[in-house]
Amino acid sequence: MRRTSAQNAVETIAVVAFDGISPFHLSVPCMVFGEDRTETGAPRFRVRVCASEPGPLQTNAGFTLGVSHGLEAIRRAQIVVVPSWCDDGRPAPPALIRALQSAHRRGATVVGLCLGAFVLAEAGLLDGRPATTHWNLAAAFARQYPQVTLQPEVLYVDDGDVLTSAGTAAGIDCCLHLLRVRYGAETANRAARRMVVAPHRQGGQAQYIQQPMPAAAEQDRLAPLLDWLGRHLHSPHELDGLARRALMSRRTFTRRFRESTGTTVGQWLQNQRLALAQRLLETTGRTVERVATDAGFGSAVSLRKHFVGAFKVSPTAYRRQFSQDAAAA
């Protein structure tokens, strides 16, 4: 698990812009990291939007951006984000490729959101690694970069010092995940509340491919159930009982749940329980056995199995890491 050695240190984040960029994609890392504040109200991050050459850049929305930083901003950044790339798949400028490679060699975390994964792959940073990108260009990515272990259906992939995400909203999920990893659940939750988005979706959750938005009526019927489930994660739940509570048949409920959340009922519950276990380990002194019970895993053995499977670290080691970072801050 990555954590900064001093949680109140100001980190520099370089966000790479380019001619024709989508304003939304550019805004995602700027919103997640640019507005974060420490307990004293000071900025936690120093966000620098940069480009291969500073100056005016045209967006795909018809207005111009003034970018004052060149690629030298990457040399001073602890995190480098490529928030997207050109739809036509054109090669990235050689200077940008070299800057990303240099940043990665010196230990910076490099993030490719949406089509930004193409740029990371071009730089060779994804060779032999798992990665994802927007589902619509996943096949093209796989053909172009067969040396990358593509996971085309997931929201984002965290492979330590390199992260990639699917399109649009998944970029928010990926950035919030990185914020959580570096500064803890409460910091990420505050940022999510400020943006009015879901505070935590596991990276393995499926992209919304077949039907991005469920029917409004069904969405309204599921919202109270999801809220209720979030408050009763400690209890066991059966599919038939949840379908009755949602006033749907088992088949309709299963289909609508996947369309609304992008995953199955069982996987959604496990993701939420894992997120709750993280928060309890970070913010309370409850024993691992008590955390397992309160988060709905039933036993410490079950919690450890699922926790290690999801985060590659035991609950005890996870808590210890947070305690060490808090003492160092």
Side-chain angles (χ1 to χ4, degrees):
M1 183 179 62
R2 298 181 308 276
R3 296 296 303 277
T4 56
S5 59
Q7 293 187 17
N8 55 1
V10 177
E11 293 192 287
T12 296
I13 299 181
V15 181
V16 180
F18 55 90
D19 205 49
I21 193 171
S22 157
F24 178 85
H25 287 105
L26 179 61
S27 73
V28 167
C30 296
M31 285 289 291
V32 173
F33 299 111
E35 296 188 4
D36 188 41
R37 296 291 185 269
T38 64
E39 295 297 331
T40 62
R44 192 186 301 276
F45 300 104
R46 185 184 298 107
V47 177
R48 297 288 182 264
V49 176
C50 63
S52 294
E53 293 185 4
L57 293 178
Q58 190 70 24
T59 71
N60 66 2
F63 60 83
T64 301
L65 296 171
V67 178
S68 57
H69 299 282
L71 296 181
E72 73 280 354
I74 293 178
R75 293 198 296 268
R76 298 186 293 272
Q78 287 75 47
I79 300 173
V80 182
V81 182
V82 183
S84 185
W85 193 244
C86 307
D87 292 344
D88 59 11
R90 72 186 65 174
L96 174 57
I97 295 298
R98 291 193 297 270
L100 292 173
Q101 292 169 336
S102 177
H104 182 253
R105 282 196 300 270
R106 65 173 170 78
T109 297
V110 183
V111 184
L113 304 178
C114 193
L115 302 187
F118 278 78
V119 181
L120 270 58
E122 184 181 349
L125 304 185
L126 300 179
D127 289 359
R129 291 175 176 259
T132 193
T133 189
H134 194 289
W135 64 269
N136 196 38
L137 288 177
F141 185 98
R143 288 192 301 269
Q144 191 169 349
Y145 300 108
Q147 68 274 29
V148 180
T149 306
L150 184 65
Q151 299 179 359
E153 295 184 354
V154 303
L155 290 177
Y156 57 86
V157 175
D158 179 350
D159 196 42
D161 55 354
V162 177
L163 294 85
T164 52
S165 86
T168 318
I172 299 176
D173 294 314
C174 184
C175 289
L176 285 173
H177 166 77
L178 183 56
L179 188 61
R180 164 188 283 268
V181 166
R182 295 180 89 91
Y183 287 94
E186 291 307 310
T187 298
N189 290 345
R190 283 198 301 270
R193 285 194 296 270
R194 193 166 56 244
M195 298 172 65
V196 197
V197 297
H200 186 58
R201 293 197 293 173
Q202 296 287 349
Q205 185 168 318
Q207 296 185 35
Y208 297 158
I209 297 178
Q210 297 299 327
Q211 183 177 341
M213 288 298 291
E218 303 295 353
Q219 191 177 33
D220 290 343
R221 290 168 66 182
L222 280 178
L225 175 67
L226 294 178
D227 180 67
W228 180 83
L229 278 174
R231 291 182 281 106
H232 293 83
L233 293 173
H234 57 282
S235 302
H237 298 289
E238 295 183 354
L239 189 57
D240 288 335
L242 294 176
R244 286 194 298 271
R245 178 175 283 272
L247 304 177
M248 299 179 192
S249 69
R250 178 189 177 109
R251 181 177 179 181
T252 299
F253 174 71
T254 301
R255 175 165 51 87
R256 292 301 188 190
F257 194 96
R258 178 177 283 278
E259 290 170 351
S260 183
T261 67
T263 189
T264 64
V265 176
Q267 190 61 55
W268 186 91
L269 281 169
Q270 180 169 309
N271 291 344
Q272 296 301 310
R273 285 167 171 158
L274 285 168
L276 176 57
Q278 284 181 301
R279 292 196 298 273
L280 294 176
L281 290 168
E282 293 172 21
T283 61
T284 75
R286 300 177 196 178
T287 64
V288 172
E289 289 76 9
R290 175 68 184 277
V291 169
T293 300
D294 292 348
F297 287 98
S299 70
V301 172
S302 178
L303 170 62
R304 187 182 189 283
K305 175 184 175 182
H306 292 292
F307 205 91
V308 171
F311 307 119
K312 307 299 185 288
V313 64
S314 71
T316 301
Y318 183 88
R319 167 175 277 168
R320 186 183 305 120
Q321 181 65 54
F322 270 82
S323 299
Q324 290 171 348
D325 288 335

